[in-house]
Amino acid sequence: MAAYSAVAAFRQTLKQLLDSHQFPTHVSESQIEFLHENVKSLQESLDKIAFVPKLKRPSLKELQNKIREAIYAAQDEVEYWSRGHSPEKSGGKTMEELADAIKDVEKEAVVLEQEIRDDPKAQNLFSNNGDEPAFNFSGKDKIVGQEEDFKTVTGWLQADDKARLVIPITGLPGIGKTTLARSIYDDKQTRIQFNIRAWVTVSQDVNYQEVFTKILNTMESKNFQAGHYATQGDEHTLLTKLHQELYNLKYLIVVDDVWDTKAWDRIALALPDKENGSRILLTTRIGDVADALKNSSFLHKMKPLGLEHSWELLCYRVFGDRLEDPKDDITKFCPSHLKDTGRIIAEKCKGLPLSLVVVGGLLIQERQQIDYWKRIEEDVADAATKGEDSYLEILALSYVYLPGKLKGCFLYMGAFPEDCEIRVTKLIKLWVAEGFLPAPKAPSAAPAPAPAVPNVEQVAQKSLEDLIGRNLLSIRKKSSNGGMKACGMHDSLRELAEKECGMEKFFFSRKKYNQEVEEESKLKRRVSVHRNILMCLEEVYNKTRTITPARSLLYLGSHHHHPMPFFLTFDLLKVLDAFTCYFIQFPDEFLDLVHLTYLSFTYNGKLPTKVTHLKKLETLMVRREPKIIFVGASFLPDEIWEMPLLRHLWFTETDFPALPPAPRNITLLFNLQTLASVDAAYFTNEVLDNMPNLRKLAMWIESPGKINFTVSKLTKLEHFRFVVLNPIPDKGIEVESAESFFPRTLTRVTLSGTGLPWEYMKFVAKELKGIEVLKLKELAFNGPEWCPDCQMKELKYLLIEYLNFQKWEATNSHFPKLQRLIMRHCYELEKLPDDIVYIGPLVAMEMVDCSPQAVSSAEDIIDKAESFNEGFEGRIFSSWE
């Protein structure tokens, strides 16, 4: 329930107030403590309400509405008082009245929890067998029952017809159109057949400049990787650029999720027809659109899965982590006492893969408990009777069954635009800033040595993994070590989240200029803006600012490169994400937002000293556009050291202010976990002593020189990036020793221009036992040979770029867990080690513009790897030909 999010966020507000010991003049500490205890007790009661039988759901909904209203009222008053107003002046309730209202709803929560506990139908639904399913980071959807669809469409792609063919794929929402198109797009034979490929998702709210930008961004050929082509310019410029780049090339463009013919007509202007066999694969859920857009007899209508394939897909989603051989029958892993019920559930999903996947996310929570599966069967069967709405009703069960602590995270996704690709690091920071996640708990058992208490970012990470494990979010991009880099949500699930956001007063999304703000929307606590340019219009600005209770404002459109004459300000904002908004002058309105915990924006000037008055700020991100580095100048105020709650500081390269000279007996930035990107020239050991809890550090220096600090002092550092802006051949940075420069806790290292001797790599391999990602760029190491003499036992990702070594002598035993090897612009490298092919976990190798000799050895390795590893992906991009 979203009510849980409101309770958790308000509890955090009260906790911060208690920790600060700065109370309104008319409110005592004991009153705040009493209110905090009531809120804490309410949250604990909500934690106990796990499964809710169908007959009790109306009661729960009524209760959560009462809870939300009571919490919102109390939050408004407390935050109003903290700005110096008294209850008498605000006309609000007294502290006692607020506490009593919360106590009343807490009593109702206790009664409901007991009623559920006593309900025979709700008993024994959850086991404690500890059989928690393994989290799978594969990020790929398995094709089940669509093998014939795959053959049919790929056959049309390969047809002899030389005309530019538009091949529509149509079918019901959730039937697997995008999954099918993606499997075809990624197929090796498809890559061989076409000179160039690209992918774009259109959706309902079409912005053609973004569409053309995405096509150019994703275009990939034999010679060039995705991202090679320039994407600057207005709509007409980009359309012309795209047409020129595709001219005379045999291309495949996937245009996903088309809603009307008008959108396609505009996009089609950029796609030339030179009668060379080019193809456009187009997906749409609207049959009439598919009929209108095809230019041949090729049109593929997808059908629902049959029962056997439905049952197979459901089992794959529930028991897939137990599958060792992809050719095995996955259904055999379902316990016999669950099979009959499982098959009935599969049948009720009516052959729609998305329904099966989402219901699988429910069943995976209990893989032995028949009572739980029976309850899911009853709910799915009831939803299946809703006629045309049955599909949406089945998806809605995913929200009904979510624990309260996850519902806020799910609803948050409804604020983002369709098909939005969201960086995981940003999403986690936003969730943490909102405060609606439960506080991290220490392990119940405390053996010696006691395990570390997780921080709130780790709680957010676990919540994200839970949503992906329930198949409510999907991985859109993987990080270097195989984890999550970006995530997204299926359009149907996003629509569900957006609908629930409206009913729960959680988010209002401003999508269009002419969108009216309805009366109920004025009571919502969060606002997202999908097109930043709309907010330049005074009429839109004046309407949207009527949502006075807003605590969050997110600009989620594309980057806005023009000055904004109007800007939304709300006195009680906690989260302001204006990262995509460019300001010529610093908005003084920011300085009045004293409740801010998260602030991001784009600005090229120096931040005013008064920004440090935002004492609650935990995340500060400032982007500079264009990216200009002023060496020896900081755009941060010196007083940044006086913001002890800061956890994440991210900037486009800047100097960091000098440490204050006054004597101190405290650690100034004790809570700081992220610092990027700062000039290393002004850092000392004393500076690092005041940042002992850094986990991520990105530093730069103008040219090779002496480093006057010991990085190994940072005993919690996990991610470290060090860049020399102007590297000099045969000259490197001067560090005391490898041991002083590389903390043993590191898991990810990026070095560029550092010019270190290869001998330092021996320490990295031997002592950095947990290192998983290593990126070596632009003369990071100097010397003609790299001959490792010990294992890098946990290394999963290795990038080597613009290094000048000639010989690389290594065996497969040096990198026993390596999964991805990327080589770029190594023009002097003679060959790759032959033994690389025998690295068991290796699934991908990529080479970009290396020496012809190195390319030749890479081709041999790829050929051998593909012969005994069906899933291996080898890519060579070379401009030598």
Side-chain angles (χ1 to χ4, degrees):
M1 65 187 76
Y4 184 96
S5 302
V7 172
F10 186 42
R11 180 182 173 186
Q12 184 187 79
T13 297
L14 295 173
K15 180 69 166 55
Q16 290 173 344
L17 190 57
L18 288 169
D19 291 343
S20 70
H21 298 287
Q22 296 178 357
F23 308 105
T25 55
H26 58 281
V27 178
S28 67
E29 181 175 1
S30 61
Q31 288 177 308
I32 297 293
E33 286 179 345
F34 181 68
L35 185 59
H36 177 263
E37 286 303 311
N38 284 346
V39 174
K40 176 183 176 183
S41 179
L42 175 57
Q43 184 178 358
E44 291 171 349
S45 295
L46 294 178
D47 278 326
K48 296 175 184 178
I49 301 177
F51 174 80
V52 181
K54 185 176 180 180
L55 293 177
K56 296 293 182 184
R57 290 171 193 167
S59 299
L60 176 63
K61 189 168 188 63
E62 182 181 353
L63 173 61
Q64 73 175 11
N65 289 338
K66 291 181 180 179
I67 291 173
R68 189 176 59 242
E69 297 306 319
I71 291 295
Y72 283 175
Q75 183 183 35
D76 289 345
E77 289 301 316
V78 169
E79 292 180 351
Y80 193 68
W81 299 342
S82 66
R83 294 178 67 85
H85 303 295
S86 66
E88 291 75 16
K89 184 176 180 180
S90 71
K93 298 180 180 179
T94 65
M95 183 65 75
E96 290 75 15
E97 290 173 322
L98 296 175
D100 288 344
I102 292 173
K103 192 67 177 175
D104 288 342
V105 293
E106 197 271 333
K107 289 178 181 177
E108 290 190 41
V110 171
V111 170
L112 179 60
E113 188 268 329
Q114 189 61 49
E115 289 177 355
I116 293 172
R117 185 186 299 275
D118 294 339
D119 188 336
K121 292 184 178 182
Q123 293 175 3
N124 302 318
L125 286 179
F126 293 89
S127 64
N128 294 311
N129 55 24
D131 184 25
E132 183 176 345
F135 182 67
N136 185 357
F137 280 104
S138 68
K140 291 185 178 180
D141 290 325
K142 180 178 174 63
I143 294 287
V144 175
Q146 296 177 351
E147 293 81 4
E148 288 302 316
D149 300 87
F150 181 92
K151 290 179 183 178
T152 299
V153 178
T154 52
W156 290 343
L157 292 184
Q158 297 164 8
D160 292 333
D161 195 328
K162 295 300 182 182
R164 185 200 70 178
L165 297 182
V166 178
I167 304 173
I169 300 174
T170 187
L172 296 170
I175 206 167
K177 300 182 293 294
T178 300
T179 301
L180 175 62
R182 177 60 71 179
S183 66
I184 295 170
Y185 182 83
D186 289 337
D187 185 63
K188 181 180 178 181
Q189 188 58 44
T190 302
R191 294 202 304 265
I192 294 172
Q193 180 182 350
F194 295 96
N195 301 119
I196 196 164
R197 300 174 306 139
W199 181 292
V200 64
T201 301
V202 178
S203 299
Q204 295 185 66
D205 186 17
V206 186
N207 181 300
Y208 295 105
Q209 182 179 3
E210 288 185 12
V211 167
F212 297 136
T213 298
K214 287 178 182 178
I215 296 176
L216 286 163
N217 267 329
T218 59
M219 282 189 349
E220 184 179 279
S221 68
K222 184 176 181 180
N223 295 331
F224 301 113
Q225 293 175 285
H228 167 80
Y229 298 91
T231 58
Q232 298 297 319
D234 59 19
E235 179 187 326
H236 178 73
T237 301
L238 293 172
L239 186 156
T240 304
K241 170 74 173 174
L242 180 56
H243 192 277
Q244 292 171 342
E245 294 291 353
L246 294 177
Y247 204 74
N248 286 330
L249 292 177
K250 182 180 180 181
Y251 59 80
L252 170 67
I253 309 294
V254 177
V255 184
D256 188 32
D257 200 17
V258 177
W259 283 79
D260 58 52
T261 58
K262 179 182 176 182
W264 165 247
D265 290 342
R266 182 62 176 164
I267 296 169
L269 295 175
L271 308 179
D273 183 3
K274 300 299 293 179
E275 295 192 351
N276 57 6
S278 293
R279 301 287 185 261
I280 293 100
L281 200 57
L282 182 148
T283 74
T284 177
R285 64 176 67 179
I286 305 171
D288 290 344
V289 172
D291 285 324
L293 298 186
K294 69 177 183 178
N295 64 348
S296 69
S297 61
F298 298 149
L299 185 155
H300 186 67
K301 185 172 183 179
M302 297 188 69
K303 298 178 181 179
L305 301 179
L307 177 57
E308 293 306 318
H309 282 134
S310 295
W311 174 229
E312 182 184 350
L313 179 56
L314 187 67
C315 286
Y316 175 76
R317 285 299 181 171
V318 181
F319 305 104
D321 60 305
R322 298 178 179 176
L323 192 65
E324 295 182 1
D325 186 342
K327 298 179 181 178
D328 281 349
D329 178 11
I330 186 63
T331 62
K332 72 181 183 181
F333 293 101
C334 179
S336 58
H337 67 286
L338 299 178
K339 285 187 176 180
D340 289 343
T341 301
R343 288 179 68 88
I344 293 173
I345 293 172
E347 182 182 12
K348 296 299 182 183
C349 289
K350 299 183 178 181
L352 290 178
L354 182 60
S355 297
L356 291 159
V357 163
V358 168
V359 172
L362 298 177
L363 296 177
I364 200 174
Q365 307 306 313
E366 288 290 338
R367 299 197 288 189
Q368 293 291 334
Q369 181 56 264
I370 183 62
D371 290 339
Y372 177 75
W373 281 48
K374 285 287 188 183
R375 186 59 56 201
I376 299 295
E377 177 196 338
E378 181 180 314
D379 278 334
V380 172
D382 183 59
T385 64
K386 304 297 184 182
E388 293 183 358
D389 294 332
S390 61
Y391 165 67
L392 297 176
E393 290 293 325
I394 290 175
L395 295 187
L397 292 176
S398 63
Y399 183 71
V400 171
Y401 276 79
L402 270 182
K405 62 184 179 182
L406 290 180
K407 287 192 172 180
C409 297
F410 176 79
L411 293 181
Y412 213 82
M413 308 306 293
F416 291 87
E418 292 178 71
D419 199 57
C420 186
E421 195 173 84
I422 309 157
R423 288 187 66 89
V424 166
T425 51
K426 174 177 179 174
L427 185 60
I428 284 175
K429 288 182 177 69
L430 285 169
W431 285 354
V432 170
E434 293 284 354
F436 54 54
L437 293 167
K441 295 181 180 179
S444 55
V453 177
N455 59 35
V456 68
E457 283 82 7
Q458 290 169 324
V459 173
Q461 175 77 24
K462 180 61 169 61
S463 298
L464 182 61
E465 292 176 5
D466 283 347
L467 290 177
I468 291 177
R470 291 169 182 269
N471 301 318
L472 298 179
L473 296 181
S474 60
I475 301 169
R476 296 289 176 87
K477 283 185 180 177
K478 290 184 180 181
S479 61
S480 301
N481 64 352
M484 299 177 292
K485 184 174 183 178
C487 65
M489 179 178 269
H490 190 282
D491 280 350
S492 296
L493 289 169
R494 196 201 65 81
E495 289 169 13
L496 171 64
E498 187 175 31
K499 176 183 175 183
E500 294 292 339
C501 276
M503 294 190 294
E504 301 271 12
K505 299 181 181 179
F506 199 77
F507 247 117
F508 169 77
S509 295
R510 182 102 206 186
K511 303 176 184 179
K512 300 177 180 179
Y513 164 70
N514 58 355
Q515 181 179 352
E516 290 296 325
V517 181
E518 300 174 352
E519 283 303 314
E520 60 267 23
S521 295
K522 296 178 181 179
L523 301 176
K524 295 178 181 177
R525 311 297 273 196
R526 298 169 182 87
V527 177
S528 68
V529 180
H530 291 190
R531 291 284 177 267
N532 296 340
I533 196 168
L534 298 178
M535 306 318 294
C536 292
L537 304 175
E538 185 172 8
E539 179 183 352
V540 178
Y541 165 72
N542 288 332
K543 285 183 178 179
T544 308
R545 72 174 302 167
T546 59
I547 309 174
T548 53
R551 270 26 181 220
S552 303
L553 176 59
L554 280 61
Y555 285 94
L556 300 173
S558 56
H559 279 280
H560 183 76
H561 297 289
H562 304 285
M564 296 185 64
F566 302 104
F567 184 71
L568 297 179
T569 55
F570 302 98
D571 290 345
L572 301 175
L573 276 185
K574 289 182 62 178
V575 174
L576 176 53
D577 177 21
F579 194 69
T580 60
C581 301
Y582 170 68
F583 297 96
I584 288 182
Q585 294 182 332
F586 183 86
D588 291 335
E589 295 92 339
F590 283 0
L591 305 178
D592 295 326
L593 305 178
V594 297
H595 296 292
L596 277 182
T597 60
Y598 180 107
L599 174 60
S600 69
F601 60 103
T602 298
Y603 175 61
N604 284 351
K606 182 179 175 65
L607 299 186
T609 299
K610 288 185 178 179
V611 77
T612 60
H613 293 178
L614 305 177
K615 295 299 183 182
K616 295 181 180 180
L617 207 59
E618 297 179 359
T619 296
L620 177 60
M621 303 173 67
V622 184
R623 175 178 178 267
R624 297 170 80 82
E625 178 64 33
K627 184 178 178 180
I628 301 174
I629 301 173
F630 296 98
V631 178
S634 172
F635 67 82
L636 297 171
D638 294 343
E639 292 79 4
I640 198 79
W641 287 100
E642 299 173 11
M643 302 180 73
L645 295 183
L646 283 173
R647 300 169 69 87
H648 306 285
L649 286 173
W650 185 97
F651 316 102
T652 305
E653 283 77 358
T654 182
D655 291 350
F656 202 77
L659 194 68
R664 296 173 306 278
N665 57 4
I666 59 171
T667 303
L668 295 181
L669 294 179
F670 180 82
N671 291 302
L672 195 63
Q673 296 183 29
T674 303
L675 180 60
S677 294
V678 291
D679 188 352
Y682 297 93
F683 270 64
T684 64
N685 285 328
E686 189 180 8
V687 170
L688 293 185
D689 285 340
N690 281 276
M691 306 173 179
N693 289 308
L694 277 178
R695 295 176 182 269
K696 298 181 181 180
L697 175 62
M699 313 185 84
W700 58 275
I701 194 170
E702 184 179 11
S703 57
K706 187 175 182 180
I707 304 303
N708 297 314
F709 55 87
T710 302
V711 185
S712 59
K713 294 171 69 71
L714 301 172
T715 58
K716 296 183 179 179
L717 195 66
E718 298 170 357
H719 299 182
F720 181 44
R721 184 171 81 238
F722 196 100
V723 176
V724 178
L725 298 180
N726 302 304
I728 301 174
D730 300 320
K731 185 175 182 180
I733 60 173
E734 300 174 32
V735 299
E736 184 179 322
S737 65
E739 185 173 4
S740 68
F741 195 63
F742 296 109
R744 289 176 168 83
T745 52
L746 290 176
T747 60
R748 298 170 64 102
V749 175
T750 300
L751 301 175
S752 180
T754 47
L756 296 170
W758 282 111
E759 287 77 11
Y760 277 39
M761 189 61 75
K762 296 179 181 179
F763 177 85
V764 173
K766 185 177 180 180
E767 300 297 336
L768 273 59
K769 300 184 184 302
I771 190 167
E772 296 182 351
V773 175
L774 180 61
K775 298 180 181 181
L776 307 177
K777 302 180 179 182
E778 201 165 1
L779 303 176
F781 281 83
N782 265 327
E785 295 185 8
W786 179 19
C787 301
D789 60 356
C790 55
Q791 288 185 333
M792 303 187 76
K793 295 182 179 180
E794 300 298 325
L795 191 68
K796 297 179 181 178
Y797 181 98
L798 176 60
L799 167 67
I800 301 175
E801 182 177 278
Y802 285 113
L803 263 60
N804 60 2
F805 67 136
Q806 294 97 44
K807 293 188 177 182
W808 184 15
E809 300 291 341
T811 68
N812 59 310
S813 63
H814 288 116
F815 311 104
K817 293 187 179 181
L818 189 66
Q819 298 175 5
R820 301 181 67 86
L821 172 62
I822 315 295
M823 304 285 297
R824 296 175 184 158
H825 312 294
C826 295
Y827 301 115
E828 299 180 39
L829 183 63
E830 296 174 359
K831 62 176 296 188
L832 271 66
D834 294 332
D835 272 12
I836 285 177
V837 72
Y838 301 115
I839 299 175
L842 191 68
V843 295
M845 191 172 85
E846 180 182 293
M847 177 169 279
V848 180
D849 266 351
C850 292
S851 67
Q853 300 94 322
V855 168
S856 178
S857 67
E859 289 173 340
D860 291 340
I861 290 172
I862 290 172
D863 288 342
K864 290 179 182 178
E866 289 178 340
S867 68
F868 57 77
N869 184 350
E870 184 178 343
F872 182 84
E873 184 177 355
R875 311 292 300 280
I876 296 179
F877 301 90
S878 177
S879 58
W880 294 103
E881 300 178 3

